[in-house]
Amino acid sequence: VTGYRAPVASIWAALDAAGLAEVLALPHFAQQDPEDLVAVLEGFGAFAAEVLAPSDGPGDRHGAVLDPVTGRVSVAPEVSDAFAKWVAGGWAGLGADPEHGGGGLPRTIALAAEEMFASANMALSLNPMLTQGGIHLLETVGSPEQRARYLPGLVSGRWTGTMVLTEPQAGSDLGGVTTTAVPGPDGSWSLSGQKIFITWGEHELAENIVHFVLARTPDAPRGSRGLSLFLVPKHLVEPGGDAPERNGVRCIGVEHKLGIHSSPTCTLAFDRARAELVGEVGGGMACMFLMMNAARLSVGLEGLAVTERAFQQAHAYAYERTQGRAPGASSEGMTPIVEHPDVARMLVSMRSSIDAMRMLVYSTAVATDLARHHPDADARRAAQTRVDLLTPLTKAWCTDEGTRQASVAIQVHGGMGYVEETGVAQRLRDARIAQIYEGTNGIQAIDLVSRKVRRDGGAALRSLIADLEASLADVARLDGLGLAGPLGLASDALAAVVDAAAWLVAADERDALSGATPFLEMAATAVAGALMAQLLLRARTSGSDGGRPAVAARFSRFAIERLALVPALRHAVCAGHSGLERGSLG
Ligand SMILES: Cc1cc2nc3c(=O)[nH]c(=O)nc-3n(C[C@H](O)[C@H](O)[C@H](O)COP(=O)(O)OP(=O)(O)OC[C@H]3O[C@@H](n4cnc5c(N)ncnc54)[C@H](O)[C@@H]3O)c2cc1C
């Protein structure tokens, strides 16, 4: 089973539980009607299932191919065609500013559409995802001329954007970037250097590609403080809007890689390319974080999106495949494997993890909309603090989870999961990259521990956990759900996180960083699990899928399988650096 069914009702339930109503109550979104938003998501869900998903397998098999003579990069015709239909259907720029042709929707809603895009074709979804980063950058710090010149093309999907940071010697540590931009007499810049691993860095899907490039200016200080951000169009854009003349940037290599085959991962050579400064000289890292923080949320979403698709495949297969006899089976002969308790357990665990991830992703999205558009400055600041805290949790945990759960989906398929024919192997191959790009998950853990916990003494984390404890207490007051045990596990998990955070705040830096990854695992599991309480509170009291008994069953499963383990992780967090010395390896 390779198809995809857009789970609009489940996504909507998570949006609702994560606080979409608070976003829609903002004056900025006064025009948005929830019924229209559901209709947008249903329309996009149908498009994702009917047009984007069928291009996913052919795109994977064809890959991205560089013609060394022309420097052109081609992908499967099914992928180009699906992208063209996405642009023609007016689906690009859903969350962008209406002033430049965008839909003006909350980021929360645009992200829900993005989830369905990434489930249907993750490799292709990266293209609009990165374009969105460039749009956000220009909307925030672009000059009026840059906005007028580049946003209409980017927002409409006629042009696409890239994020161009990495060089062979500068990956996690971008301070080592050597690409250089030299100012010219007319205010423009001339940019030269080589970049690697640039997603959708070259392709034929759009009329133009706008590269957002991190580079060093002459006499700039060493390290990341000396970096600035430049805009380099593939075709030079004249004020009239036509884009005929080719700029000095070309693709000189495309990587062969484990997954996301139809996303070209390009080596780009810049040779005196005409460039424009975005923001200020020396402001490159701040600009990059504007693009990157939005992208980190989108990458976390990819873990969720891949799990949803993998779950649908595993679920369908488990009803089709018959083997053995399940205990207590009523019918004669072999039973569908879904009736075997161990297979049922795998499926319910996956589905519970999807609920937990959705709550984490959309809670971060809601906080993002509040941080951007709340009329009150204090409320904006408080929401931004929450976004800052939730972003590394979402990026790293959901992508770790994507790989874990795609592997479970293969397990449900048995041997057929390991062969390419069923399409579920692609899920695991595609999911793996999300743990690496946009800052490896190790870097996310360091960000969480150093900047988001140690810097404020754990205050932001304690405030989040206090809110989550209040939701758990509300659930405890609901009748007849029999959730005392799971709620206790959730409270214990949150308490263990507070305790471990206090240890990290007091610890020496090397000891604290030694426990960063297990702490992220601890904190994200506890937070995502406790957020499921909000899903329970908002769930319909009856009904099979979205109804409260079903949501309660999934919460219980997450609690006994995952939250129960959280306090044990404290040992790994608080072990410090002892035992990690080089001598331990020999
Ligand atoms: C398919 C693909 C697409 C990509 N797309 C883009 C793109 O569009 N634009 C772009 O600019 N880049 C892109 N990248 C690059 C990607 O962002 C980097 O690969 C990533 O940031 C890691 O850098 P690196 O590969 O140099 O690994 P390294 O930085 O060498 O890291 C190796 C290991 O060391 C760890 N490590 C490194 N530094 C530290 C530290 N200070 N503390 C603790 N651990 C550390 C890392 O966590 C990792 O486990 C892409 C990469 C791939 C593979």
Side-chain angles (χ1 to χ4, degrees), residues 163 165-166 171-172 197-199 265 433 436-438 440 443 446:
M163 199 190 293
L165 320 173
T166 307
S172 299
F197 292 163
I198 305 311
T199 297
T265 305
I433 184 57
I436 297 170
Y437 56 26
E438 294 304 338
T440 64
I443 296 294
I446 292 169

Side-chain angles (χ1 to χ4, degrees), residues 4 20 65 77 121 208 233 276 298 327 340 346 352 426 460 487 547 564:
Y4 168 65
L20 178 63
V65 183
N121 188 332
N208 204 357
E276 293 178 32
S298 293
H340 291 295
M346 287 192 273
S352 313
Q426 188 193 341
L487 287 168

Side-chain angles (χ1 to χ4, degrees), residues 477-551:
R477 281 190 283 274
L478 297 176
D479 284 338
L481 289 174
L483 286 177
L487 287 168
L489 291 171
S491 291
D492 291 351
L494 292 175
V497 172
V498 171
D499 196 39
W503 185 89
L504 288 172
V505 168
D508 141 81
E509 188 186 12
R510 197 170 67 157
D511 284 338
L513 294 187
S514 302
T517 290
F519 179 70
L520 189 147
E521 172 78 17
M522 232 187 137
T525 308
V527 168
L531 281 168
M532 289 168 84
Q534 292 173 13
L535 206 52
L536 262 166
L537 289 169
R538 304 283 300 176
R540 282 178 286 111
T541 45
S542 59
S544 59
D545 183 45
R548 203 171 264 164
V551 180

Side-chain angles (χ1 to χ4, degrees), residues 41-419:
L41 293 184
E42 278 172 350
F44 189 77
F47 178 79
E50 287 157 24
V51 179
L52 297 172
S55 70
D56 192 36
D60 180 61
R61 289 187 287 279
H62 182 288
V65 183
L66 170 68
D67 179 334
V69 179
T70 61
R72 291 180 167 203
V73 173
S74 60
V75 295
E78 290 86 345
V79 172
S80 312
D81 192 42
F83 187 81
K85 287 183 174 142
W86 178 76
V87 176
W91 294 113
L94 285 183
D97 194 335
E99 198 189 327
H100 300 104
L105 299 184
R107 168 97 166 116
T108 313
I109 296 292
L111 208 68
E114 209 174 307
E115 178 193 324
M116 295 187 270
F117 198 143
S119 285
N121 188 332
M122 173 174 157
L124 179 59
S125 77
L126 299 175
N127 186 329
M129 187 271 277
L130 291 162
T131 304
Q132 171 53 38
I135 292 171
H136 178 50
L137 179 75
L138 289 179
E139 282 179 349
T140 315
V141 295
S143 67
E145 296 75 34
Q146 286 169 338
R147 288 206 284 266
R149 191 177 298 180
Y150 296 104
L151 280 176
L154 290 170
V155 169
S156 66
R158 279 191 300 118
W159 300 351
T160 65
T162 62
M163 199 190 293
V164 187
L165 320 173
T166 307
E167 297 180 10
Q169 75 296 345
S172 299
D173 182 1
L174 292 168
V177 159
T178 59
T179 294
T180 307
V182 182
D186 62 350
S188 76
W189 295 72
S190 167
L191 187 142
S192 299
Q194 201 176 106
K195 295 282 185 177
I196 60 166
F197 292 163
I198 305 311
T199 297
W200 287 99
E202 176 57 39
H203 59 84
E204 300 288 309
L205 266 49
E207 292 164 27
N208 204 357
I209 304 176
V210 182
H211 301 290
F212 292 92
V213 188
L214 207 54
R216 196 166 288 289
T217 50
D219 310 321
R222 290 160 65 91
S224 57
R225 281 191 306 123
L227 296 174
S228 306
L229 199 91
F230 294 89
L231 180 162
V232 181
K234 171 179 165 183
H235 296 286
L236 291 168
V237 182
E238 297 313 324
D242 288 336
E245 196 190 332
R246 194 75 161 77
N247 202 354
V249 48
R250 67 205 160 87
C251 175
I252 57 169
V254 167
E255 305 293 344
H256 298 278
K257 56 196 192 298
L258 181 65
I260 54 164
H261 287 160
S262 66
S263 163
T265 305
C266 302
T267 303
L268 294 183
F270 293 86
D271 181 15
R272 286 162 294 163
R274 200 175 158 88
E276 293 178 32
L277 179 69
V278 182
E280 291 170 4
V281 171
M285 290 305 277
C287 285
M288 190 207 75
F289 274 112
L290 270 175
M291 289 195 290
M292 193 121 162
N293 280 332
R296 284 179 173 174
L297 176 54
S298 293
V299 171
L301 180 85
E302 287 163 16
L304 159 64
V306 169
T307 305
E308 172 65 45
R309 180 90 181 260
F311 168 74
Q312 290 188 14
Q313 290 177 264
H315 183 256
Y317 186 80
Y319 277 89
E320 278 170 16
R321 172 72 172 163
T322 56
Q323 277 299 283
R325 276 183 66 73
S330 50
S331 55
E332 289 296 308
M334 293 196 292
T335 42
I337 58 170
V338 70
E339 291 185 25
H340 291 295
D342 191 54
V343 175
R345 181 195 56 74
M346 287 192 273
L347 291 169
V348 176
S349 287
M350 286 183 82
R351 186 65 185 81
S352 313
S353 162
I354 289 171
D355 277 355
M357 280 191 265
R358 273 210 183 104
M359 287 310 298
L360 190 54
V361 165
Y362 293 119
S363 300
T364 314
V366 163
T368 304
D369 276 321
L370 297 177
R372 277 190 206 160
H373 300 295
H374 202 289
D376 177 64
D378 287 340
R380 283 201 300 278
R381 253 192 306 279
Q384 188 58 48
T385 304
R386 191 138 295 180
V387 174
D388 293 344
L389 176 63
L390 290 177
T391 298
L393 298 183
T394 306
K395 193 284 177 181
W397 187 73
C398 294
T399 60
D400 284 349
E401 203 60 9
T403 301
R404 268 196 286 262
Q405 301 300 345
S407 183
V408 173
I410 288 180
Q411 200 66 22
V412 170
H413 283 74
M416 285 309 288
Y418 197 70
V419 299

